[in-house]
Amino acid sequence: AARERRDAVVSELMAKLASMTDSSTQTDDNLPTAEDIARLEEQIEALEREMADQEFSKQMIHKDRERILESQKHLEQQHAELQAELRELHFENHDLHNQLKDLEEQLETKDIHLKESLQRPKRTDGSTM
């Protein structure tokens, strides 16, 4: 947009300069005044500053995009590492669950043996029959 406005100002200036050099159309009315030239120069300078600001903004956006992509890569790597750790913890949890079931079964078996031994008649010497 700034380039288009600058081009329009330059075209306007070029048209005025062309009319100055064309002797058939040369009149005092179409000659650019010092004020016209100063105004056009100010417009061109303002547009060039705006273009420089836009270029700077474009560079900053590009740098921000690079930082975002770098952050995204880092987050994707962390995500993959966390997924691997989660799978490992899931397997460990499954193993621990199986160990707990085995221990519960052992405890239940010992509990049954204990109850059976308590229900057996005892001898007078304290041993079971």
Side-chain angles (χ1 to χ4, degrees):
R3 285 183 196 268
E4 290 171 4
R5 289 195 302 271
R6 180 181 175 273
D7 291 345
V9 169
V10 169
S11 294
E12 180 184 340
L13 180 58
M14 295 302 287
K16 287 214 180 215
L17 290 173
S19 69
M20 284 175 41
T21 58
D22 185 1
S23 60
S24 65
T25 60
Q26 192 170 7
T27 66
D28 287 343
D29 293 340
N30 62 5
L31 290 176
T33 64
E35 291 171 357
D36 290 338
I37 293 171
R39 178 182 55 81
L40 290 172
E41 287 174 346
E42 287 175 12
Q43 288 177 343
I44 289 171
E45 288 173 5
L47 291 169
E48 286 174 344
R49 283 191 303 272
E50 186 177 338
M51 287 172 45
D53 289 346
Q54 287 179 354
E55 182 62 28
F56 177 76
S57 293
K58 191 166 93 174
Q59 289 173 358
M60 295 308 297
I61 289 169
H62 180 71
K63 287 180 182 179
D64 288 346
R65 185 177 297 134
E66 286 176 350
R67 281 194 291 269
I68 289 168
L69 290 174
E70 194 61 37
S71 293
Q72 182 180 2
K73 282 183 195 176
H74 181 68
L75 289 173
E76 287 172 352
Q77 180 181 358
Q78 282 183 326
H79 181 260
E81 290 169 0
L82 289 172
Q83 288 286 48
E85 188 175 336
L86 181 62
R87 280 191 299 276
E88 188 177 313
L89 289 171
H90 176 75
F91 290 129
E92 188 176 322
N93 183 44
H94 183 72
D95 289 344
L96 289 172
H97 180 73
N98 287 340
Q99 288 177 14
L100 178 61
K101 283 179 18 182
D102 290 345
L103 289 172
E104 286 174 343
E105 288 174 7
Q106 290 175 12
L107 183 60
E108 188 177 319
T109 302
K110 287 184 180 192
D111 189 42
I112 290 171
H113 289 311
L114 181 61
K115 285 180 182 176
E116 288 174 353
S117 71
L118 290 174
Q119 291 176 354
R120 289 187 201 138
K122 293 192 177 176
R123 297 186 186 171
T124 55
D125 63 359
S127 64
T128 56
M129 293 193 223

